């Protein structure tokens, strides 16, 4: 596609439920990033994919968080047993090679856990 | 280790010049990015410096000193629409790490 696409744009879920967030990167971009941004805060790195491999999972906050990527395409971020502190905007970005190249962001998924 | 620092907030007047500083300590540094983020929107790319010196792009310029681990974003002829957060980012080996952002408020 023309840009990075994320779905859903908004998600309200009950505490304890699982949620799945989707990211479609720009076609041909091998690198894909997930970030979390709480209200008024900066971007917190979660995980990075090069192709379908995740060399760095160090940013995942807990074992309730996991992510997958199919080839050099779609990625899903799954949060199990959601907690209120998981409420944030989850941003996905992709770049051509993940090395000295500009990252393009999707519009994010705003997750609210009630 | 990795650390990117920038001021939390700045204010300036329409038509003025403002400089937003960023210091960084990352492993395998290979260049520094600046992004702009308006409230409620995704970050958008502004500039990228890999060599020392000043890169000029219209009203915006970005400077890098690799030896000092320092960069700044210079915004000239400020407009009200420049009110936004400005994010400094660098690759830590192969992952892109962001500072917490500087919230710039432009007043008439």
């Amino acid at each position: 596609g023309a840009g990075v696409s994320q779905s859903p744009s908004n998600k309200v879920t009950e505490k304890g439920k699982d949620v799945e967030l989707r990211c479609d990167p720009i076609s041909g971009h091998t690198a894909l990033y997930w970030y979390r941004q709480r209200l008024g805060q900066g971007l917190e790195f979660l995980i990075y994919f090069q192709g379908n491999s995740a060399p760095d999972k160090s940013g995942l906050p807990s074992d309730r968080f996991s992510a997958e990527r199919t080839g050099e395409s779609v990625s899903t971020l799954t949060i199990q047993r959601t907690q209120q502190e998981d409420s944030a905007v989850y941003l996905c970005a992709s770049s051509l090679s993940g090395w000295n190249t500009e990252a393009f962001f999707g519009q994010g998924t705003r997750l609210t856990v009630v | 280790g990795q650390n990117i620092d920038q001021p939390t907030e700045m204010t300036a007047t329409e038509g003025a010049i403002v400089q937003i500083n960023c210091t960084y300590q990352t492993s395998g540094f290979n260049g520094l990015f600046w992004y702009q983020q308006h409230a409620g929107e995704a970050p958008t790319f502004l500039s990228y410096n890999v060599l020392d010196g000043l890169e000029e792009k219209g009203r915006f310029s970005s400077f890098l000193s690799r030896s000092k681990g320092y960069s700044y974003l210079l915004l000239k002829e400020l407009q009200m629409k420049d009110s936004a957060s400005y994010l400094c980012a660098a690759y830590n080996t192969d992952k892109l790490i962001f500072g917490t952002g500087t919230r710039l408020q432009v007043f008439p």
Side-chain angles (χ1 to χ4, degrees), chain A residues 11 20 28 32-33 39-40 55 67 70 72-73 86 92 96 100 106:
Chain A
K11 175 73 177 177
E20 195 171 274
L32 187 147
Y33 302 84
L39 189 63
T70 307
E72 293 183 354
S73 185
D86 299 334
C92 174
L96 195 57
N100 297 343

Side-chain angles (χ1 to χ4, degrees), chain A residues 7-113:
Chain A
S7 61
S9 53
N10 278 286
K11 175 73 177 177
V12 180
T13 189
E14 290 182 354
K15 179 181 172 181
K17 294 283 178 73
D18 297 352
V19 295
E20 195 171 274
L21 313 180
R22 177 187 170 106
C23 173
D24 280 277
I26 293 172
S27 179
H29 280 196
T30 62
L32 187 147
Y33 302 84
W34 283 99
Y35 296 91
R36 179 169 69 179
Q37 188 172 35
R38 293 196 167 103
L39 189 63
Q41 304 292 312
L43 272 67
E44 178 187 357
F45 172 83
L46 296 179
I47 190 169
Y48 152 67
F49 287 93
Q50 183 62 258
N52 63 2
S53 167
D56 194 325
K57 302 180 182 179
S58 63
L60 294 176
S62 74
D63 58 8
R64 296 187 294 106
F65 287 71
S66 62
E68 293 183 342
R69 187 179 185 195
T70 307
E72 293 183 354
S73 185
V74 172
S75 175
T76 54
L77 178 69
T78 302
I79 309 173
Q80 295 178 309
R81 306 181 301 281
T82 51
Q83 303 294 314
Q84 288 187 327
E85 64 261 27
D86 299 334
S87 296
V89 174
Y90 289 82
L91 288 162
C92 174
S94 71
S95 68
L96 195 57
S97 67
W99 189 251
N100 297 343
T101 56
E102 173 192 349
F104 295 83
F105 282 84
Q107 289 302 306
T109 294
R110 182 176 300 277
L111 175 67
T112 304
V113 182

Side-chain angles (χ1 to χ4, degrees), chain A residues 35 37 56 99-101 103 106, chain B residues 30 35 37 42 91 93 95-96:
Chain A
Y35 296 91
Q37 188 172 35
D56 194 325
W99 189 251
N100 297 343
T101 56
Chain B
N30 275 289
Y35 282 78
Q37 186 178 27
Y91 275 98
T93 312
K95 69 184 184 189
L96 188 59

